[in-house]
Amino acid sequence: MSVEEVDSFERFALAEPVLRAVRDVGYEQPSPIQAQAIPPLLEGRDLLGQAQTGTGKTAAFALPLLSRLDLTRRVPQLLVLAPTRELAIQVAEATKTYARHLPDFHVLPVYGGQGMGAQLRGLSRGAHVVVGTPGRILDHLRRGTLVLGGLVAVVLDEADEMLRMGFIEDVEAILAATPQGRQTALFSATMPREVHRIAQSYLRDPVEIRIESRTTTVEAIRQRYWQVRDLHKLDALTRILEGEDFDAMIVFVRTRTETTGLAEKLEARGYDAAPLSGDMQQAERERTVDRLRQGRLDILVATDVAARGLDVPRISHVVNYDIPTDTEAYVHRIGRTGRAGRKGEAILFVSPREKRMLYAIERATGQRIEPMQLPSREDIADRRIDRFKGLITETIETAELDFFEALVADYQRAHDVGLSEIAAALAYLLQREQPLVVDGAAARVDAHPAEPVRAEAAESAPRPRQRREGAPPAQPRSEGAPAERPRRERRPGPEVPMERYRIEVGREHGVQPKNIVGAIANEAGLESRYIGRIEINDDHTLLDLPEGMPKEVFKHLKTVWVCGRQLRINRAAEPGGHRRRSED
Ligand code: ADP
Ligand code: MG
């Protein structure tokens, strides 16, 4: 779908402060029920809306009805009836958010179980909007503490629930106490006969809206959900990132603000993540998607609009971090994976309140979404250990090890220790920044009383991109990684796996090792001791640099000038193709 087809809130005749609040919240576009309900409600029409939980009904009625308030009259003009105290509070809070730029606006939640005193005080101060459960509202009406003579509109939210909870008589009594000419909107997930009867008796010529769940099949995609419980969604996502085999991932959130927020949190945890939202310039969005396509980025945190139509075959996983507002959006979202004949994985985070949306999605897609367990700490440790062993095997098979073997033998002779002890020490060094044992037990082995940390961080401050040399990219830092480095920071020299590079400046350009070391140390933010053997030839130079140079640094080094030549750095022919994968 093209950008022109994206719907927007601006097309509605909403009051300017209300529109501004929507922009603040960061909704990109109206949900289907909002798109259909806002115009008639703005015109003052009655409305009968059938839609599942989580489809955005609150904004569907609050935005237009708030736009119609006369703020100079501090009497209840809008009454919202909700089945439970929690829902009443939620609606009141959402209303407050949508009304934040309306001067001197007041909303009052009124529900059972709350002291009468506060409610009475609130009522006597006057509120433009009253949100409450039917029982308590009726109480106040009967006591004369709530007067609805100035009411302009009534909303019956989740009418089927109110019916189920035995509130229908109360609702009818309340409606009878409101002015004849009021506007009425009724929302319900289902339309039992009784609710329909209410609609027929109390709504005048209503606009009827039904948000259909469309059937679409998505067979190449395995769909799972995780029930949000004690763990935070961010921690759950981190576990998934580590426990699942993924190539590239899209994480869907609801608002633009969240795209940047979550992307930053993931970056802080060591992942290559970036936001993708409608806020970004078209060119910037394209650049971001290109980076994902080329594997320079592994995770996009996106909104529905921004990710629409995105076609990147690498995307193996879609995570619905926030549940979508309609089933169709879900189908669009998960359709970003399982492309080009590949298999895809879709994971949905569902809070208890959102269960109904989960069922609606299952109905709409005609497929079951299986519950999933998050990978446990042990699973994650096992995976790290497996990857680690795999790395050893691969290195033995593919890397040039002669030099290192000599080094180890030399060390063994000089120190009279066993090979297994040396190997263990090397393994320890390698896993230090991401301990194999998740709770950090392995890291404690060498936990000496902290010594002042070397000026490592300060030295590395001017690095063009903050990533440690010699570390594979896309390598998450673990939750349990030790904050301080162990003591005995030895000269890194040969323990850092090196890679051979070629630069296009040589003897005939008058280059000397110090020029090369200087340029590379400065421009790549490497300490010079990490720069290995330098072999200057006539028209080019070969040199060893730590393995796993970040792509940005690599790209930058290509453009650096030394002795009047651009380095145009490249990996020299690789012995045996010892390649990193983003997974290990
Ligand atoms: P319902 O009343 O249909 O159950 P809500 O009004 O409670 O749904 O909205 C559910 C969630 O969706 C809320 O977190 C809300 O902020 C969010 N939401 C509502 N409208 C939009 C929108 N247009 N875009 C993104 N998120 C939205
Ligand atoms: Mg609701």
Side-chain angles (χ1 to χ4, degrees):
M1 203 182 278
S2 73
V3 177
E4 294 74 53
E5 286 170 79
V6 169
D7 200 357
S8 92
F9 281 99
E10 329 275 325
R11 78 168 159 104
F12 305 123
L14 293 169
E16 197 281 328
V18 172
L19 200 54
R20 202 160 10 120
V22 173
R23 274 187 227 121
D24 289 351
V25 183
Y27 299 160
E28 287 206 298
Q29 58 167 358
S31 70
I33 184 111
Q34 290 161 3
Q36 293 182 50
I38 291 174
L41 286 178
L42 272 173
E43 282 169 21
R45 300 268 321 252
D46 281 5
L47 184 129
L48 177 60
Q50 188 178 347
Q52 291 299 327
T53 311
T55 46
K57 290 189 286 289
T58 318
F61 63 75
L63 302 181
L65 297 178
L66 287 173
S67 295
R68 305 187 64 217
L69 291 178
D70 174 0
L71 293 162
T72 59
R73 290 197 307 134
R74 222 193 230 208
V75 295
Q77 294 168 53
L78 168 61
L79 171 69
V80 182
L81 295 180
T84 64
R85 154 203 173 117
E86 284 71 32
L87 286 171
I89 295 173
Q90 266 182 35
V91 169
E93 280 174 355
T95 306
K96 220 183 216 160
T97 307
Y98 301 140
R100 65 198 283 184
H101 297 302
L102 292 176
D104 203 27
F105 170 84
H106 279 268
V107 54
L108 185 71
V110 172
Y111 43 84
Q114 184 199 35
M116 269 288 185
Q119 288 179 5
L120 289 173
R121 275 194 303 281
L123 284 169
S124 66
R125 267 199 304 273
H128 301 98
V129 176
V130 174
V131 184
T133 49
R136 188 52 75 96
I137 294 280
L138 197 58
D139 260 9
H140 281 292
L141 278 178
R142 292 199 168 133
R143 292 166 172 233
T145 42
L146 174 63
V147 179
L148 296 179
L151 210 63
V152 175
V154 177
V155 175
L156 309 181
D157 197 12
E158 308 217 7
D160 51 353
E161 278 295 296
M162 291 201 280
L163 170 70
R164 218 171 51 79
M165 298 177 67
F167 280 139
I168 282 299
E169 277 172 27
D170 291 356
V171 169
E172 294 204 59
I174 294 165
L175 286 175
T178 59
Q180 278 292 314
R182 53 136 222 280
Q183 181 181 8
T184 314
L186 185 157
F187 291 95
S188 200
T190 57
M191 214 38 84
R193 192 158 351 110
E194 200 47 16
V195 171
H196 209 252
R197 184 188 65 74
I198 299 278
Q200 275 180 335
S201 356
Y202 296 94
L203 271 55
R204 281 165 313 165
D205 182 27
V207 175
E208 293 193 27
I209 297 172
R210 196 164 159 202
I211 300 303
E212 295 277 358
S213 310
R214 228 192 265 167
T215 310
T216 328
T217 43
V218 270
E219 261 133 27
I221 302 169
R222 174 160 72 133
Q223 299 174 61
R224 287 173 292 166
Y225 77 90
W226 175 67
Q227 166 100 55
V228 180
R229 280 194 211 90
D230 36 351
L231 204 63
H232 282 296
K233 288 206 272 191
L234 179 60
D235 291 324
L237 179 59
T238 319
R239 293 250 188 116
I240 287 170
L241 288 173
E242 238 200 292
E244 293 266 320
D245 271 314
F246 78 96
D247 197 1
M249 180 182 286
I250 295 204
V251 180
F252 280 100
V253 293
R254 277 204 165 131
T255 64
R256 301 168 185 184
T257 344
E258 273 179 281
T259 57
T260 32
L262 184 58
E264 277 166 15
K265 288 186 189 124
L266 291 174
E267 280 209 290
R269 291 178 174 218
Y271 293 98
D272 286 330
L276 188 76
S277 84
D279 257 1
M280 296 157 61
Q281 299 290 320
Q282 176 69 20
E284 199 186 347
R285 281 206 302 242
E286 280 168 14
R287 262 200 307 279
T288 305
V289 172
D290 270 348
R291 281 167 60 209
L292 185 77
R293 191 170 281 125
Q294 293 159 15
R296 287 189 287 141
L297 192 67
D298 297 317
I299 305 167
L300 277 189
V301 184
T303 53
D304 290 306
V305 172
R308 201 175 268 178
L310 200 79
D311 188 5
V312 177
R314 265 191 82 213
I315 298 170
S316 60
H317 281 65
V318 168
V319 172
N320 292 274
Y321 193 82
D322 294 331
I323 201 164
T325 43
D326 62 302
T327 58
E328 224 184 301
Y330 175 81
V331 173
H332 277 297
R333 285 177 175 192
I334 70 170
R336 298 312 104 221
T337 182
R339 304 190 74 81
R342 302 191 197 193
K343 282 232 169 287
E345 299 280 345
I347 295 173
L348 177 63
F349 287 179
V350 186
S351 75
R353 277 269 317 148
E354 295 162 340
K355 265 291 173 60
R356 279 214 242 160
M357 183 53 113
L358 169 70
Y359 302 139
I361 291 170
E362 287 188 323
R363 267 199 307 280
T365 57
Q367 280 169 342
R368 214 177 105 69
I369 305 182
E370 325 144 29
M372 74 179 282
Q373 298 290 327
L374 290 181
S376 67
R377 280 168 181 273
E378 292 73 38
D379 292 340
I380 289 173
D382 284 351
R383 285 182 62 91
R384 288 185 188 171
I385 289 170
D386 281 351
R387 280 200 298 253
F388 192 75
K389 288 177 177 169
L391 199 62
I392 298 176
T393 311
E394 188 186 307
T395 308
I396 291 176
E397 281 166 4
T398 60
E400 288 284 356
L401 294 176
D402 298 353
F403 172 80
F404 300 96
E405 278 180 38
L407 182 138
V408 168
D410 193 32
Y411 183 90
Q412 192 190 14
R413 266 194 305 278
H415 293 83
D416 190 27
V417 288
L419 276 180
S420 63
E421 210 176 332
I422 299 176
L426 295 174
Y428 168 78
L429 284 175
L430 209 56
Q431 61 94 58
R432 206 166 46 181
E433 300 217 19
Q434 193 202 31
L436 294 172
V437 177
V438 183
D439 67 5
R444 276 199 303 272
V445 175
D446 194 32
H448 295 271
E451 212 178 57
V453 178
R454 289 174 45 112
E456 198 60 26
E459 278 176 42
S460 61
R463 272 174 214 174
R465 304 288 179 272
Q466 283 293 336
R467 208 193 267 128
R468 7 176 249 282
E469 321 80 354
Q475 179 85 295
R477 249 164 268 143
S478 85
E479 308 145 57
E484 80 283 307
R485 289 161 169 275
R487 205 161 74 113
R488 274 186 309 176
E489 189 68 66
R490 283 182 290 149
R491 278 185 47 78
E495 315 148 356
V496 178
M498 303 293 257
E499 239 176 325
R500 177 131 272 222
Y501 289 87
R502 177 187 161 115
I503 50 179
E504 302 305 321
V505 57
R507 197 172 298 117
E508 63 189 48
H509 313 113
V511 81
Q512 291 177 21
K514 63 173 188 211
N515 307 130
I516 294 171
V517 171
I520 293 199
N522 275 327
E523 301 291 342
L526 263 183
E527 287 166 54
S528 55
R529 62 197 173 120
Y530 282 96
I531 299 173
R533 201 154 53 103
I534 297 180
E535 184 189 296
I536 298 185
N537 297 300
D538 282 341
D539 62 350
H540 71 276
T541 299
L542 297 171
L543 80 166
D544 288 341
L545 293 172
E547 203 183 300
M549 182 187 310
K551 289 181 177 99
E552 295 89 335
V553 176
F554 187 56
K555 226 171 118 187
H556 174 65
L557 279 184
K558 282 186 183 295
T559 63
V560 168
W561 294 80
V562 173
C563 297
R565 304 263 306 166
Q566 277 196 310
L567 292 184
R568 307 213 318 267
I569 190 166
N570 261 310
R571 290 201 166 73
E574 300 202 357
H578 177 201
R579 307 265 337 137
R580 295 171 282 113
R581 290 182 318 237
S582 59
E583 254 303 78
D584 50 35

